Amino acid sequence: MIKALSTGEREACVTVSHLDGLVLARSGFNTSVNYRSAICMGRPELITDKDEVIRQFELFFNRLAPGRWDTLRPMADQELKATGMLKMDIVDFAVKERAGGPSDSVEADHDIWAGHIPITTEIGTEVTATDSKRADLNHEVMHYSF
């Protein structure tokens, strides 16, 4: 996919959806989910500048785990060559969301529970790899917030 899109000659659509909850209505027709989604269109191009690729990796890894990039071993040239990274100017986009409970109040006399169940994501407690040379995680550096 990256090879096919790397020339900048093809348009692409990037879609991201986040599930926020289950909406359980009194009928199957009105049962739904709460979500947020974004669709972005553009023409991707391969990032060829090595320093820019490394900068983007740093931004990515520090977003996953703040301060982590500076603790990692440097990327090998072979790893950089084996990884394609694209950038894309967004030329058009659409966002959509659904929130709240079911919309089947006309069926309120049907004797069944109706409402919504939130779905959340949380950061759990770390599990150290069995072959890790260090047993501690540098909590002073890593402060997660999503």
Side-chain angles (χ1 to χ4, degrees):
M1 178 183 75
I2 289 179
K3 204 177 264 191
L5 294 173
S6 65
T7 63
E9 297 173 7
R10 297 179 186 210
E11 292 182 351
C13 175
V14 177
T15 303
V16 178
S17 296
H18 181 82
L19 183 63
D20 290 316
L22 305 175
V23 180
L24 303 178
R26 294 169 191 88
S27 69
F29 181 77
N30 289 315
T31 296
S32 187
V33 295
N34 287 337
Y35 65 92
R36 292 168 280 165
S37 68
I39 301 168
C40 300
M41 284 76 67
R43 195 174 295 273
E45 293 179 52
L46 186 67
I47 299 174
T48 57
D49 181 70
K50 180 180 174 180
D51 291 336
E52 181 60 14
V53 170
I54 291 170
R55 189 180 82 81
Q56 291 298 325
F57 271 123
E58 180 179 359
L59 292 170
F60 175 77
F61 283 104
N62 282 339
R63 178 67 178 120
L64 287 179
R68 184 72 172 169
W69 179 257
D70 290 334
T71 66
L72 299 173
R73 69 159 172 77
M75 292 189 72
D77 284 339
Q78 189 60 31
E79 292 170 330
L80 290 169
K81 288 178 189 173
T83 306
M85 186 179 294
L86 300 174
K87 65 179 179 177
M88 182 176 85
D89 289 333
I90 298 171
V91 297
D92 199 7
F93 69 93
V95 294
K96 190 173 180 183
E97 75 174 327
R98 188 210 187 277
S103 57
D104 62 354
S105 58
V106 296
E107 300 167 340
D109 59 343
H110 189 72
D111 191 18
I112 186 173
W113 183 90
H116 70 280
I117 302 169
I119 295 176
T120 61
T121 302
E122 63 184 21
I123 301 294
T125 304
E126 69 274 359
V127 178
T128 303
T130 56
D131 61 350
S132 180
K133 300 214 183 301
R134 291 186 60 166
D136 65 317
L137 177 66
N138 187 351
H139 290 284
E140 292 77 34
V141 172
M142 303 171 77
H143 300 283
Y144 294 99
S145 63
F146 292 97

